[in-house]
Amino acid sequence: LSVILRLKTAQADITAAFVHAELPPEEEVFIHQPRGFKVHCDEGELVLRLKRSLYGLKQSPRHFYQYLSSNLEDLGLVKSNFDPCLFIGTHVIVVVYVDDCLLYAKEDKYIEDLLAEEIVNNRLTEGDHIIFDLEDSKNSLVVQRSTATENAD
């Protein structure tokens, strides 16, 4: 589809994705203290209440998705009625899979503008995304991979 529509394509990975989302106040999650960190009180050993999601919690992907989709919608992208992982903007299309994003646009500028936004507290930074140049050359597909820092020159 990218080749047929002649769209520029980029892939981005969101680092430490699940720790971005705050847990809703009505959803209290408590954990035991980690090994080597023990605080006792008169009633016994204390437990910790999480404010943010952690890797390993079954609800972490859901909370992160809600956080990311809210941020993408704040930037003007609209969630598709047919696929909740597809976000469509005026110049950019974003497909989300867990903590990976595929970005499509007619021009690199639109992808770079979106990547420059604070989608997830600046966790999507240079070097975290890869730009693919897809060319339709004599009935074949040529894929050239370069990191964002290489394209900055």
Side-chain angles (χ1 to χ4, degrees), residues 112-149:
E112 291 164 6
D113 289 348
L114 183 65
L115 291 172
E117 292 290 337
E118 292 185 20
I119 299 173
V120 284
N121 297 332
N122 284 331
R123 297 285 199 252
L124 192 60
T125 57
E126 282 189 25
D128 286 341
H129 57 278
I130 299 167
I131 296 178
F132 293 93
D133 293 323
L134 304 175
E135 298 175 10
D136 193 3
S137 173
K138 297 181 184 172
N139 298 326
S140 64
L141 179 65
V142 178
V143 179
Q144 298 176 358
R145 175 183 173 194
S146 60
T147 61
T149 52

Side-chain angles (χ1 to χ4, degrees), residues 36-53:
F37 180 83
K38 295 290 179 186
V39 176
H40 296 278
C41 68
D42 294 339
E43 291 84 35
E45 188 177 307
L46 296 176
V47 293
L48 305 174
R49 180 173 181 241
L50 296 179
K51 291 184 177 183
R52 293 189 177 269
S53 197

Side-chain angles (χ1 to χ4, degrees), residues 6-33:
R6 304 226 181 269
L7 298 175
K8 302 293 182 178
T9 306
Q11 181 272 335
D13 180 53
I14 300 166
T15 57
F18 292 163
V19 299
H20 295 288
E22 291 187 16
L23 293 173
E26 68 276 359
E27 193 172 320
E28 292 184 337
V29 177
F30 296 92
I31 62 170
H32 291 284
Q33 296 178 41

